Structure formats: structure tokens, C-alpha cells
Amino acid sequence: MSAAGEIWANMLHNVYAALVEKHGFSMNARRNPNGSEGNVVFLHLFMDALATQPCSPTCKCNDNVFPFVD
């Protein structure tokens, strides 16, 4: 894994952990994706961010993804 990949993985983990800490954790997120728990919110944000990515993203364009998702 490259240094940039490690940075992104760490950032995503920190966002996930903060959302779960603040909004809780849903054990049935797969059966009920409409919840407001932290892990459900994170998955929605992550999937929305993926849809805005170009086919071959760079670190520069990745910086602009998450602010527009929420």
C-alpha cells in the first residue's frame, strides 16, 4: 500500500470511528439501510463519494470528494 493509500485508509477509519462514537452502531445495517446510526451514515457517505470519483482518481481530486457528499 502506498503512503497516500495509508493516509486515505486512516482518514476513512477515523471518520467511521467518529460517526459510530457519536451516532452509535447498527447491528442490522444490512437489513435496514435507512437507519441513522454511525456505521449506516458512513456507508451512505462512502458510496455517494465513490459515485463522484473519476475512473482514475488522483490525490488532488480525492480531496474534493467528501465535502460535496454531505
Side-chain angles (χ1 to χ4, degrees):
M1 182 181 266
S2 67
E6 291 176 26
I7 292 168
W8 270 100
N10 190 7
M11 183 275 305
L12 289 172
H13 181 270
N14 288 338
V15 169
Y16 175 82
L19 284 169
V20 168
E21 183 177 331
K22 184 172 183 176
H23 299 287
F25 182 84
S26 172
M27 292 296 290
N28 64 351
R30 290 185 181 186
R31 293 185 301 272
N32 181 15
N34 298 321
S36 60
E37 295 83 6
N39 58 325
V40 176
V41 171
F42 176 81
L43 287 174
H44 282 282
L45 289 173
F46 184 74
M47 295 305 292
D48 290 346
L50 285 178
T52 66
Q53 288 287 334
C55 291
S56 298
T58 63
C59 285
K60 184 66 176 163
C61 69
N62 285 341
D63 292 341
N64 299 323
V65 172
F66 271 98
F68 297 112
V69 174
D70 197 50

